[in-house]
Amino acid sequence: MAVDALDTRILRLLIEQPRTSVREYARILSVARGTVQARIDRLERNGVITGTGPVLSPAALGHPVLAFVHLEVTQGHLDEVGEALAAVPEIVEAFSTTGGGDLLTRVVARDNGHLEDVIQQLIQLPGVVRTRTEVALRERVPHRLLPLVRSIGLATAGPSN
């Protein structure tokens, strides 16, 4: 779905001021409240906006250790391993990948011993051949989309902005 300049302005406000009302967004943007709401509804329907809940900190929830665990999977077992991963609460994300492994998971743990327990649980899943773990030392760039939205906004606004 293509987004236009108004869409990117709305997305920027949603990211920068997530607790603001649609009425206030409309005032800031100098457009009708109904226009802003219709745009937000369309962005949600088209999958551009995928959630509105709070962003939580695993560390503040008692899971300060972050690791990326690559899983090599027996051919033909990718779907069943993916389903099994969904049952492990410490896995906060999982992706099919190319390269050295078949799946890449983002795992959080209470401490290194807990991380080892989670990895042992993963290696025992039917279809998992081996794992490779990389522990994150420090977050250098937090998850963000605002710079991307700004970039898209500049591209859709044309050369005059």
Side-chain angles (χ1 to χ4, degrees):
M1 175 199 149
V3 295
D4 63 18
L6 179 56
D7 291 333
T8 61
R9 290 174 61 208
I10 291 169
L11 291 170
R12 285 180 62 179
L13 283 173
L14 288 168
I15 292 168
E16 293 171 338
Q17 302 175 33
R19 292 180 172 235
T20 303
S21 69
V22 172
R23 180 181 300 253
E24 181 62 13
Y25 292 149
R27 187 193 66 72
I28 293 167
L29 296 168
S30 300
V31 298
R33 188 204 62 76
T35 300
V36 174
Q37 187 63 60
R39 293 290 187 114
I40 291 171
D41 292 345
R42 181 177 53 80
L43 291 165
E44 287 175 346
R45 259 192 329 274
N46 290 326
V48 174
I49 297 173
T50 60
T52 58
V55 177
L56 305 177
S57 164
L61 291 170
H63 289 69
V65 176
L66 170 62
F68 299 94
V69 180
H70 302 260
L71 289 88
E72 188 177 319
V73 177
T74 304
Q75 285 189 341
H77 293 272
L78 195 58
D79 288 339
E80 66 189 65
V81 171
E83 289 171 18
L85 293 177
V88 180
E90 294 85 0
I91 294 180
V92 295
E93 290 181 299
F95 301 91
S96 299
T97 62
T98 61
D102 300 301
L103 291 165
L104 174 63
T105 63
R106 186 171 164 214
V107 178
V108 296
R110 293 184 301 272
D111 53 38
N112 287 345
H114 181 219
L115 176 60
E116 182 182 9
D117 294 342
V118 173
I119 293 166
Q120 290 302 315
Q121 183 180 358
L122 298 179
I123 196 66
Q124 292 176 29
L125 293 174
V128 174
V129 176
R130 87 177 38 91
T131 65
R132 187 181 88 244
T133 303
E134 298 169 4
V135 176
L137 300 176
R138 180 179 298 154
E139 183 177 68
R140 297 294 180 169
V141 178
H143 179 78
R144 72 216 174 109
L145 291 173
L146 185 56
L148 177 63
V149 170
R150 284 184 181 139
S151 167
I152 293 167
L154 291 173
T156 60
S160 64
N161 285 11

